[in-house]
Amino acid sequence: MPVYFAPGRVNLIGEHTDYNGGFVFPCALDFGTRLTVTPNSDRLLRFRSKNLADTVELPTDRSFQPLPNRSWVNYPLGCIAQLAEKAGGLPSGYDLLFEGNVPIGAGLSSSASIEVVTAYAFNDMLGLGLDRTQLARIAQQAEHTYAGVNCGIMDQFVSANGKKDHAIFLNCDTLEFDYVPLCLDDVSIVLTNSHSPHKLDAGTYNRRVQECEEAVRIISRSKPIRQLADLTISDFKEIQDTITDPVILRRARHVVTEIQRTRDAVRALKDNDLSAFGQLMNQSHQSLRDDYEVTGLELDTLAETAWQVPGVIGSRMTGGGFGGCTVSLVRNDAIDEFKQTVGNTYRQTTGLQAEFYMAHTGDGVRKITE
Ligand code: GLA
């Protein structure tokens, strides 16, 4: 029975830049989703998850449609539908057993790991020969058409292409990328799960995507651009007065400055200047809080408390926002103090219990058993 695995991810910097053609800097984690596939003669796709109770069965001889009620099955189904079409149909039914250890709703891309592991497995079993980038695109398309989230390419790309001990500096316009070694010495990447009840829903995410498109339309009246990533910060300063809507102005300013921060952060890491990297992480959070408005009390409390703890190099929200996690770079000898201070302040301020994970990087999607 073949078994496959695809990782979740944490983004170190470059948030809400991917669907604007900008840079991101994520790494794949060592936790993710494992998929065991067994062909069956029932001509059924049978979806089961060790994490959830329900089993969903769908006939393979009818065309696939998204399932109602935001079923988790839409993530794998959206991938299988595209690959089955490329293969001219499925040769048999399949029993699919998913088992994930990415905390769900933590903004660490559990859904991308489900999509990517499914796309990779069916590409392998159907002998389609698609490369990792093509599979990431298929997984992103599944998220658009089956889950209704008009996401960028970051999560699926890093789940497909991740590399242990490295982050990926990805140009989301051209999909050219570099693996950058994460030489952190006596520093660790700590994830703090807010367990916030405020989740980033598809509607709010898609609204941000639309606001950026609106910014491109307005700016293009005086300076034609394809996407916000076409502007440098000085270009933006020249045209910013043409954006009279203050909300659209703030959204565009976040994207343009975040793209520059991401370039600067990668430069700082390559120069071994972790302290500059940390400052850029903090500025990224401030921009997501003030201009992009996707943080909220929970994530702000986590990041702002972390900034006060000696030994914290940088801290920011990661992923789409509202709920989910912060990512912090913390000196190893300050981790206990960090957990205690952040955990206590967070409980006092929000009444919620934060959860901490040490982030270990991992490789991209792969087959683990023949
Ligand atoms: C979610 C989306 C990504 C990206 C981030 C924000 O994780 O899936 O494509 O837009 O939010 O950076």
Side-chain angles (χ1 to χ4, degrees):
M1 267 186 304
V3 182
Y4 303 86
F5 175 86
R9 64 97 187 93
V10 58
N11 189 21
L12 299 177
I13 193 161
E15 218 67 84
H16 289 280
T17 51
D18 58 353
Y19 51 85
N20 289 297
F23 289 104
V24 293
F25 194 49
C27 42
L29 296 171
D30 68 350
F31 48 48
T33 302
R34 178 194 282 260
L35 167 61
T36 308
V37 193
T38 323
N40 66 46
S41 51
D42 309 336
R43 301 219 48 89
L44 289 175
L45 283 178
R46 194 173 285 120
F47 294 90
R48 283 193 301 131
S49 159
K50 283 205 179 166
N51 308 80
L52 301 160
D54 58 333
T55 298
V56 173
E57 292 188 347
L58 299 170
T60 54
D61 53 2
R62 266 178 254 151
S63 69
F64 299 117
Q65 299 292 335
L67 302 183
N69 304 326
R70 303 205 199 158
S71 166
W72 68 273
V73 171
N74 281 323
Y75 301 122
L77 184 60
C79 296
I80 297 170
Q82 294 174 69
L83 292 166
E85 195 180 323
K86 285 191 194 297
L90 295 175
S92 75
Y94 296 93
D95 280 21
L96 307 171
L97 177 62
F98 293 86
E99 184 179 3
N101 61 356
V102 188
I104 293 181
L108 301 176
S109 290
S110 55
S111 59
S113 73
I114 297 174
E115 291 154 0
V116 169
V117 78
T118 309
Y120 187 91
F122 277 79
N123 178 52
D124 183 44
M125 292 183 306
L126 301 173
L128 290 168
L130 301 174
D131 65 29
R132 287 168 185 266
T133 298
Q134 289 170 309
L135 295 175
R137 285 242 184 254
I138 285 172
Q140 179 194 23
Q141 191 57 42
E143 184 97 24
H144 287 197
T145 49
Y146 275 67
V149 181
N150 295 328
C151 64
I153 189 76
M154 168 169 71
D155 305 347
Q156 293 79 7
F157 193 93
V158 63
S159 182
N161 288 292
K163 184 167 163 182
K164 189 171 165 39
D165 297 326
H166 293 74
I168 296 185
F169 181 41
L170 171 66
N171 177 331
C172 297
D173 185 28
T174 62
L175 298 189
E176 287 165 330
F177 68 100
D178 260 348
Y179 289 118
V180 181
L182 281 176
C183 303
L184 299 178
D185 301 325
D186 57 345
V187 169
S188 295
I189 304 173
V190 186
L191 304 174
T192 308
N193 190 343
S194 65
H195 286 293
S196 162
H198 305 294
K199 302 289 176 221
L200 178 71
D201 58 26
T204 312
Y205 184 92
N206 293 346
R207 191 160 352 112
R208 290 294 182 276
V209 175
Q210 283 161 11
E211 286 164 349
C212 291
E213 288 165 358
E214 177 65 13
V216 170
R217 269 193 298 277
I218 295 170
I219 294 164
S220 290
R221 288 184 204 139
S222 46
K223 179 180 173 61
I225 52 168
R226 226 167 16 103
Q227 52 192 359
L228 288 175
D230 295 347
L231 297 175
T232 61
I233 293 185
S234 65
D235 293 336
F236 181 72
K237 286 193 174 139
E238 272 172 34
I239 55 83
Q240 63 181 349
D241 290 345
T242 65
I243 311 177
T244 49
D245 181 331
V247 172
I248 302 293
L249 177 69
R250 290 203 296 276
R251 303 299 187 251
R253 185 167 55 207
H254 164 73
V255 173
V256 172
T257 57
E258 181 77 355
I259 291 170
Q260 188 58 43
R261 276 189 291 275
T262 308
R263 290 174 186 272
D264 294 345
V266 172
R267 183 73 270 147
L269 191 66
K270 287 183 175 167
D271 292 345
N272 245 319
D273 188 350
L274 264 196
S275 133
F277 189 93
Q279 289 304 314
L280 290 158
M281 289 175 78
N282 299 351
Q283 289 163 18
S284 165
H285 185 92
Q286 288 158 2
S287 177
L288 289 155
R289 179 190 65 193
D290 302 336
D291 277 349
Y292 221 64
E293 296 176 282
V294 288
T295 58
L297 175 70
E298 290 86 355
L299 293 174
D300 289 339
T301 304
L302 291 178
E304 289 164 14
T305 310
W307 298 340
Q308 308 305 320
V309 178
V312 171
I313 292 157
S315 183
R316 57 181 289 278
M317 59 151 271
T318 184
F322 294 112
C325 284
T326 57
V327 55
S328 309
L329 293 186
V330 187
R331 292 204 186 286
N332 289 340
D333 56 14
I335 291 176
D336 288 343
E337 162 85 25
F338 167 81
K339 288 185 185 169
Q340 210 169 26
T341 308
V342 172
N344 286 342
T345 305
Y346 188 63
R347 197 174 327 100
Q348 283 156 15
T349 311
T350 65
L352 298 167
Q353 187 75 35
E355 194 178 354
F356 299 93
Y357 322 105
M358 303 304 291
H360 301 289
T361 60
D363 289 327
V365 64
R366 58 204 178 264
K367 193 176 201 172
I368 49 180
T369 312
E370 283 297 327

